[in-house]
Amino acid sequence: MGRYFVDSPTETQEQQYFANSKKLRYPRKERIKFRIGQVVQHRHFGYRGVIIGWDECARAPVEWLKHNHASPELQHLPSYSVVRDDRDEGGMMYVVESNLALYAGEVVSAALDSYVDVFMHKHNRYLLRKDIRRCYPDDYEDVD
């Protein structure tokens, strides 16, 4: 799965959607609240998941944005690609920052094996694979 290599060729617009872009997110802007590898819970629907990518503002097809981020203000907020816990129906979600909160605990997901190396109990977060971390160099600066 080579979608996260920073030195990749030019991406199509579709490859840049839903925090899938291979572009380097550096320096990390202060307005980005969450970091890759953090365990979160959706504030309204309650599902748990792990952040595997983020965009400074929502990047998705126009029709998707109209349906899922109906308020234009939401389209300008940071949005996160989240692998959902299998106990909460699993799958992938793209969630606006205001709908997420940190969650204490591990996530159960067969899909996580494609993204993570290990769960760091001390930090209550996952260490994502090196090829993914390279796109988000500031996201692990708080981890010793």
Side-chain angles (χ1 to χ4, degrees):
M1 178 173 153
R3 69 183 194 134
Y4 283 101
F5 287 103
V6 178
D7 56 355
S8 67
T10 305
E11 298 173 321
T12 65
Q13 187 165 351
E14 289 78 23
Q15 291 169 318
Q16 295 176 25
Y17 291 152
F18 307 114
N20 284 322
S21 175
K22 300 167 196 76
K23 104 179 160 141
L24 185 65
R25 271 73 161 202
Y26 179 84
R28 185 175 194 283
K29 301 216 166 114
E30 286 186 33
R31 74 188 221 105
I32 309 297
K33 180 177 180 178
F34 300 108
R35 299 167 183 265
I36 60 168
Q38 287 185 310
V39 181
V40 292
Q41 185 170 32
H42 196 284
R43 290 180 187 273
H44 305 289
F45 301 122
Y47 63 77
R48 299 154 291 182
V50 177
I51 294 172
I52 60 163
W54 52 260
D55 291 317
E56 188 175 344
C57 58
R59 293 187 59 83
V62 173
E63 288 305 314
W64 188 94
L65 288 170
K66 284 180 186 174
H67 179 57
N68 293 284
H69 289 143
S71 169
E73 299 84 42
L74 294 178
Q75 297 176 22
H76 301 288
L77 295 176
S79 294
Y80 300 82
S81 183
V82 175
V83 175
R84 276 178 37 167
D85 193 303
D86 288 344
R87 297 169 293 185
D88 300 326
E89 299 182 26
M92 299 283 291
M93 302 300 289
Y94 191 59
V95 187
V96 68
E97 184 173 272
S98 58
N99 285 338
L100 294 176
L102 287 176
Y103 178 82
E106 293 185 57
V107 167
V108 175
S109 172
L112 269 183
D113 290 345
S114 299
Y115 304 98
V116 306
D117 285 335
V118 65
F119 182 71
M120 301 179 296
H121 292 274
K122 177 181 176 183
H123 300 285
N124 191 56
R125 93 189 259 206
Y126 288 85
L127 180 65
L128 269 61
R129 291 189 348 229
K130 187 175 183 178
D131 59 321
I132 300 171
R133 292 192 319 259
R134 288 188 345 189
C135 293
Y136 305 89
D138 289 342
D139 275 24
Y140 283 96
E141 65 187 10
D142 63 330
V143 176
D144 47 36

